[in-house]
């Protein structure tokens, strides 16, 4: 008798046949392709109407205007966050959603994602997506100045001070921050003085984390009252105006 080979000795007889269970029901779906389109990204404060070219600030509501926005189960993707609009805030030409918490100042992408119910029982599945639009989230800033030293440069007394700035939203580890000072009520015979001071790189500090407060050394500034702005990754904080349209705040006094 010829001995069986090792491979043949491991064979199972009769051969094992594996098959899937029969399908009890089939779900077929037919839906017209209606891709949503974002045409404008506006914002509103509380119950105010959306405003064109209004700086978008933390706590505002984002208003997306376009076409075919209400088909399916609409969600809004803002940066890495997925926001579900509240009932009644989705229309075919407009969707309104609050800005998600934790969003840093700067440029962000926004997109409408429409889901479709499929399966038994029905569960949401990713459907069609809109174009990707962009908006800028602007920071807000206030600051105080602590005098450090004074000196005379070319017959002009100048000061060095530490500006302690509080920003909303907080600053990310690797975000670039510049504080801008613009002189208030400069005399008519010369241009207003203006200065810019870059904050130290925070990603080089040990164990950096998001922070609402930074300290920036402002050097050789002529004492006086200045309007204050902050640029965070290029997104600039807005200035408030009075009834006559003049910029009035936020401000800081250099002594």
């Amino acid at each position: 008798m010829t001995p069986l080979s090792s491979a043949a000795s491991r064979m199972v007889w009769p051969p094992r046949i594996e098959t899937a269970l029969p399908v009890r029901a089939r779900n077929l779906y037919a839906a017209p392709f209606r891709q949503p389109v974002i045409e404008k990204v506006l914002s509103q404060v509380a119950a105010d109407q959306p405003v064109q070219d209004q700086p978008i600030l933390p706590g505002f509501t984002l208003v997306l205007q376009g076409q075919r926005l209400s088909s399916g189960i609409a969600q809004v993707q803002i940066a890495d966050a997925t926001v579900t609009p509240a009932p009644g805030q989705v229309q075919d030409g407009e969707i309104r959603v609050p800005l998600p918490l934790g969003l840093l100042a700067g440029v962000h992408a926004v997109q409408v994602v429409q889901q479709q119910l499929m399966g038994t029982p029905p569960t949401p599945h990713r459907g069609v997506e809109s174009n990707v639009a962009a908006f800028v989230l602007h920071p807000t800033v206030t600051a105080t100045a602590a005098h450090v030293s004074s000196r005379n440069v070319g017959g002009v007394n100048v000061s060095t001070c530490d500006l302690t700035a509080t920003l909303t939203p907080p600053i990310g580890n690797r975000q670039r921050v510049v504080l801008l000072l613009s002189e208030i009520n400069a005399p008519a015979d010369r241009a207003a003085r203006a200065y810019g001071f870059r904050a130290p790189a925070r990603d080089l500090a040990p164990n950096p984390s998001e922070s609402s407060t930074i300290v920036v050394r402002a050097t050789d500034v002529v004492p006086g009252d200045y309007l204050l702005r902050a640029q965070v990754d290029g997104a600039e904080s807005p200035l408030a105006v009075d009834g006559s349209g003049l910029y009035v705040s936020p401000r800081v006094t250099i002594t």
Side-chain angles (χ1 to χ4, degrees):
M1 178 181 298
T2 302
L4 294 175
S5 66
S6 59
S9 64
R10 291 195 300 269
M11 293 180 60
V12 178
W13 190 264
R16 188 167 52 229
I17 300 175
E18 297 181 359
T19 60
L21 294 174
V23 176
R24 297 184 60 189
R26 298 181 184 274
N27 295 320
L28 300 178
Y29 300 90
F33 183 75
R34 300 178 69 249
Q35 183 177 21
V37 177
I38 299 175
E39 297 174 336
K40 293 182 181 179
V41 181
L42 309 178
S43 66
Q44 70 175 98
V45 184
D48 296 344
Q49 291 297 316
V51 179
Q52 182 83 29
D53 298 327
Q54 172 178 253
I56 299 175
L57 301 178
F60 279 21
T61 294
L62 210 60
V63 181
L64 308 179
Q65 294 183 344
Q67 303 177 44
R68 301 179 294 277
L69 300 178
S70 65
S71 300
I73 304 173
Q75 292 183 319
V76 179
Q77 187 75 28
I78 302 175
D80 294 330
T82 300
V83 183
T84 300
Q89 297 302 306
V90 179
Q91 301 176 22
D92 203 53
E94 183 177 281
I95 294 180
R96 302 188 183 198
V97 291
L99 288 172
L101 298 177
L103 202 62
L104 299 178
V107 180
H108 296 284
V110 59
Q111 186 179 32
V112 174
V113 178
Q114 296 176 343
Q115 295 183 318
Q116 184 175 358
L117 292 176
M118 299 174 63
T120 306
T123 56
H125 288 69
R126 198 175 184 94
V128 294
E129 302 173 353
S130 75
N131 57 307
V132 177
F135 69 95
V136 178
L137 178 61
H138 295 264
T140 61
V141 62
T142 59
T144 58
H147 183 267
V148 175
S149 63
S150 299
R151 67 181 185 136
N152 188 281
V153 178
V156 178
N157 291 324
V158 293
S159 296
T160 293
C161 62
D162 284 337
L163 298 174
T164 300
T166 301
L167 294 101
T168 304
I171 308 160
N173 297 341
R174 299 181 180 274
Q175 290 195 289
R176 303 180 306 277
V177 182
V178 178
L179 296 185
L180 304 174
L181 300 178
S182 301
E183 184 182 17
I184 300 175
N185 298 325
D189 60 349
R190 63 167 175 81
R193 297 185 174 96
Y195 306 89
F197 302 98
R198 186 182 299 274
R202 299 183 61 254
D203 60 333
L204 301 179
N207 302 318
S209 60
E210 291 184 11
S211 175
S212 297
T213 303
I214 58 170
V215 178
V216 179
R217 176 66 55 93
T219 58
D220 294 345
V221 179
V222 176
D225 292 329
Y226 291 85
L227 293 168
L228 172 70
R229 289 168 292 156
Q231 288 182 344
V232 180
D233 282 353
E236 190 169 291
S237 61
L239 294 170
V241 297
D242 61 12
S244 60
L246 298 176
Y247 293 123
V248 293
S249 66
R251 63 171 63 194
V252 64
T253 299
I254 306 297
T255 58

